[in-house]
Amino acid sequence: MNIVSHYKKIINNILIKEFSLQNEDIKNISFEFPKDLSLGDFSTNAAMVLAGKLRKSPSEIAENIRNLILKNSDIENAEIAGKGFINITIKKEIWQKLLLKIIEKKSSYGDEGFGKKEKVNIEYVSANPTGPLHVGHTRGAVFGDTLSNILTKVGYDVCREYYVNDAGEQIDKLARSSFVRYQESCGIEISSIPEGLYPGEYLKPVGNEIKKIFGDDLLDKKEDFWLPLIRNISLELMLNLIKSDLKTLNIKHDVFTSEYDLLSSGFVDEIFDELDSKGLLYQGETLPPKGSDTNEWKKKKHTLFRSKKFGDDEDRVVKKHDGSWTYFMPDIAYHKDKSKRGFDKMINVWGADHSGYISRVTSAVNALTNNQSSLEVKVCQLVRLTRGKEVVKMSKRSGSFITLKEMVDEVGRDAVRFMMVTRKNDAPLDFDYEAVKEQTKDNPIFYIQYAHARISSVIRKVDTDNLFNIEDKSLLKSDISLLDKSEDIALIKVISNFPRIIEQAAVYREPHRIAFYLKDLASTFHSYWSLGNENSDFRVINTENIDTSMARVALIRSVGITISEGLRLLGIEALDELR
């Protein structure tokens, strides 16, 4: 079904056989759709790539290749252009028959098997469980979930994971903040939230829940009594809040791994001993981390991991002089745990503020798995929220940031998900509340869903008017040879590019390619539809020519299948009617 790969393979096999080449010789040969449709269906630079190897001019090689290509029964024409480019045109019926394959495949159109059921762990979101998810988390959540969909589509066995940072001072801070809201729930007036605690109103329900459980009994107790109790309750409620936030975006995880469990089970100690046994730890001095107490680190011996040996720019502290862990050591153990669970391929989706942490974690994975496991880190840059030209920053509910739920409540799940993948993950993204609510062609998600709704409307009308049987098994019998106009073929070509786009999105870990493609497909479809308003020969439904109408319905049905599956990969609903 990947028509580009199909013909690239055919051409490559011809080159290997006729010129006695190896796969290495042809790896840099491109085979692409030309930007100018008048140049044919495909374009290749094979002659230029092979000129040095074969010790002949590109034009001479191009002529040889052209003559060889023309022997294939699928090829209509092959022309030499420029300094050795070859433009290839395949026969029209190849494109026409592709429609029937798409209708047969339905939602499996674009499935690729190159993942070969290899296990891959994708960790995304993993926000500290101290409050609701905000706009920064939203981008990483949508990116990770969409990438998971794409890799599943191409045949990987994907595990979606959330790492819960439920150990450390931030959880005690959450408990103390919750206790303030508990006091408030018990009728104690709180003029202001103490400095250093979480001020958001999202903790008021936590305080109310603690009041339901304990009544006023904790008010006269010391912190060492109530802190562990409230810690567990507030942590559970915050995780439930995060899961609820994610559900609004239709995002779920298969596994939630607890940092606290890794520590309490002794697994972190076990991995520390493993590193030590491999000679990868030593005692030494180092500069204090940013924001740390300089006196605490001055002239003190800490335990360092030899991360420079595995590609990091410096060795890293894993245990401080007082015997406490740095945050790095539990992270090392966590990634070892992934490897022990059978994940030799790991992908982490992190926010921009974690980009400096990549090399040390990657070095630890290399060290603990003897370079047998791979870790990729995809960094999601910041999102700037605006209303037209006005920047939006504050939220009463959170105390500062705009929450995920607030975004979804205002503009809807589909708009949020689509906009979060409209740019490459490592590029900053602007999210304009007003723009994503417009019902115009300038709003890409509306334009795409409108295309699907328009197709669904046509098919419903055909069925209502009983013009012909619109079931797929009937459309498969339509006379697709009637789709012989250049505009018909142009639309089919765009549809045919879908499997290749999926492949590229998977290989390069770039979900935005699907969003761009769907926008292009919707635009091409709407232009095709508009032709019928100007020329009756292009109308999809013409009651005076049922055979052509049936072929055109098969064409737009394949467009609908492609849009629907593309939107599904993005976690977006394909609408049958606009709302």
Side-chain angles (χ1 to χ4, degrees), residues 361-416:
V361 178
T362 303
S363 68
V365 171
N366 293 336
L368 283 168
T369 66
N370 297 316
N371 295 310
Q372 295 304 302
S373 295
S374 67
L375 170 65
E376 297 176 58
V377 178
K378 307 302 292 184
V379 173
C380 290
Q381 284 293 338
L382 301 176
V383 178
R384 188 181 72 147
L385 298 178
T386 62
R387 293 187 190 279
K389 295 182 179 179
E390 181 183 349
V391 177
V392 181
K393 293 182 178 180
M394 301 300 291
S395 164
K396 180 180 180 182
R397 182 169 180 260
S398 68
S400 57
F401 50 80
I402 301 296
T403 67
L404 178 158
K405 189 173 186 304
E406 287 169 330
M407 291 179 66
V408 175
D409 286 347
E410 179 165 349
V411 303
R413 180 191 73 195
D414 291 347
V416 171

Side-chain angles (χ1 to χ4, degrees), residues 325-442:
W325 302 118
T326 63
Y327 56 82
F328 183 36
M329 188 61 226
D331 282 355
I332 293 176
Y334 169 51
H335 286 84
K336 176 65 174 181
D337 176 64
K338 290 184 185 180
S339 178
K340 286 172 70 71
R341 284 186 274 138
F343 296 107
D344 290 331
K345 188 182 293 292
M346 311 172 202
I347 301 173
N348 290 357
V349 181
W350 290 349
D353 56 338
H354 287 74
S355 57
Y357 195 50
I358 295 173
S359 58
R360 71 189 71 178
V361 178
T362 303
S363 68
V365 171
N366 293 336
L368 283 168
T369 66
N370 297 316
N371 295 310
Q372 295 304 302
S373 295
S374 67
L375 170 65
E376 297 176 58
V377 178
K378 307 302 292 184
V379 173
C380 290
Q381 284 293 338
L382 301 176
V383 178
R384 188 181 72 147
L385 298 178
T386 62
R387 293 187 190 279
K389 295 182 179 179
E390 181 183 349
V391 177
V392 181
K393 293 182 178 180
M394 301 300 291
S395 164
K396 180 180 180 182
R397 182 169 180 260
S398 68
S400 57
F401 50 80
I402 301 296
T403 67
L404 178 158
K405 189 173 186 304
E406 287 169 330
M407 291 179 66
V408 175
D409 286 347
E410 179 165 349
V411 303
R413 180 191 73 195
D414 291 347
V416 171
R417 288 198 63 128
F418 187 85
M419 291 305 296
M420 290 298 162
V421 290
T422 52
R423 296 205 70 186
K424 191 175 179 182
N425 59 284
D426 57 4
L429 185 148
D430 286 341
F431 187 105
D432 186 342
Y433 278 98
E434 302 306 319
V436 300
K437 289 189 284 187
E438 291 181 359
Q439 294 198 345
T440 69
K441 66 178 182 179
D442 295 327

